[in-house]
Amino acid sequence: MAQKQDEGGVLETIKVIIQALAIALVIRTLLFQPFNIPSGSMIPTLLIGDYVFVSKYAYGYSNYSMPFGPNVFSGRVLASPPKRGDVVVFKLPRDNETDYIKRVIGLPGDRIQMIEGRLYINGVVVPREPIAKALTENRNGDEVPVATYKETLPGDDNHPGVEHTIIEIDGDHFIHDNTDLFVVPPDHYFMMGDNRDNSTDSRIAPDLGGVGYVPFVNLVGRAEIIFFSVKKDESALAFWRWPWSVRWDRLFKPAH
């Protein structure tokens, strides 16, 4: 009798584990997926060491938003286009494998250009105003105050323009502060990082190691909230260091 009870207990435990794994798989596949931030291209919005939840349902589903990218269907199902200003995780178009996170700046049909460090959308300069300087690392690894701005992207009748913070480590005269005119193709988006002088994004062509235009189908999801954050070069697994390594003030902040 005792042996049968033990066997029943083991089977029940296995059943519970399988159910928990199935629920976790459904949540990760259809609802929310965690991502960590490995680079500083979205500073000051997102920092190296931030962990964010990305809503998988925000733009519908494609092969690239599924785990392991199975070739299940073409295009997107339950599709809903992103809004200008959304912070988006997408598959890098030139390999369709690497996860990138940037802000949507240009929608299909938009004309995008950088002139003397200022962003122009459809021929109109995007308003920005200087705010208190942010502390971040320069190219030598030293923490220094850098030019910081509140930028307001254009909205429409249904959505107000998104306000967000950008930094200019090298001012308004760096390598990508003057560009050609970009015209965003249909079903594509133009992405930029908030760390304007340290972001590999749509301003750089894929054949030069950049992003280029991002197809709608490549979008994985929208960044929603920072659920965990550790300082640069700290391990999130080193729980014994959390009292000192965790950025407690960043937990549960919006990721956009």
Side-chain angles (χ1 to χ4, degrees):
M1 180 70 69
Q3 182 178 358
K4 288 184 178 180
Q5 288 178 342
D6 290 343
E7 290 176 352
V10 170
L11 290 175
E12 187 64 26
T13 300
I14 293 174
K15 180 181 176 181
V16 170
I17 292 173
I18 291 175
Q19 289 175 339
L21 290 174
I23 292 171
L25 180 61
V26 169
I27 291 174
R28 186 185 185 280
T29 301
L30 299 179
L31 300 178
F32 294 98
Q33 182 173 344
F35 285 88
N36 75 295
I37 307 302
S39 76
S41 69
M42 284 296 293
I43 293 173
T45 306
L46 298 173
L47 306 180
I48 297 172
D50 283 349
Y51 288 76
V52 302
F53 278 129
V54 171
S55 57
K56 304 292 288 292
Y57 55 84
Y59 309 128
Y61 304 94
S62 73
N63 293 330
Y64 298 120
S65 59
M66 298 290 107
F68 311 112
N71 190 18
V72 178
F73 45 79
S74 62
R76 301 192 79 90
V77 297
L78 303 176
S80 178
K83 301 177 181 66
R84 194 194 320 275
D86 284 359
V87 176
V88 174
V89 172
F90 58 91
K91 295 295 184 181
L92 183 64
R94 57 186 162 88
D95 66 12
N96 293 323
E97 294 181 358
T98 307
D99 290 319
Y100 264 46
I101 185 166
K102 305 289 180 186
R103 190 178 298 275
V104 176
I105 296 297
L107 307 177
D110 279 348
R111 293 173 289 114
I112 308 294
Q113 189 170 20
M114 296 293 295
I115 302 175
E116 297 296 320
R118 299 299 301 272
L119 172 62
Y120 286 74
I121 299 178
N122 296 322
V124 179
V125 65
V126 173
R128 75 177 192 187
E129 59 180 86
I131 57 178
K133 291 185 175 182
L135 286 175
T136 192
E137 289 186 0
N138 62 16
R139 301 187 185 282
N140 298 321
D142 301 319
E143 193 171 71
V144 296
V146 298
T148 306
Y149 302 91
K150 181 177 72 174
E151 186 176 75
T152 305
L153 298 171
D156 55 37
D157 294 338
N158 299 316
H159 305 98
V162 171
E163 291 184 354
H164 64 111
T165 304
I166 64 170
I167 60 174
E168 294 274 7
I169 294 176
D170 295 292
D172 288 335
H173 304 284
F174 195 55
I175 185 171
H176 300 303
D177 283 332
N178 288 283
T179 70
D180 295 332
L181 179 66
F182 300 97
V183 181
V184 186
D187 295 320
H188 287 69
Y189 295 88
F190 194 94
M191 309 290 191
M192 291 177 63
D194 292 345
N195 187 351
R196 289 287 166 81
D197 292 331
N198 189 23
S199 174
T200 300
D201 50 38
S202 292
R203 292 173 292 176
I204 306 169
D207 58 357
L208 297 177
V211 173
Y213 304 116
V214 178
F216 186 26
V217 72
N218 282 55
L219 272 54
V220 174
R222 182 179 62 210
E224 301 290 355
I225 193 169
I226 301 168
F227 69 89
F228 197 63
S229 181
V230 292
K231 296 175 182 177
K232 184 180 177 183
D233 299 325
E234 292 281 357
S235 171
L237 300 177
F239 61 88
W240 58 90
R241 292 187 53 81
W242 283 0
W244 306 276
S245 65
V246 173
R247 300 186 186 107
W248 299 102
D249 60 326
R250 293 190 62 77
L251 271 57
F252 308 116
K253 290 184 62 176
H256 45 78

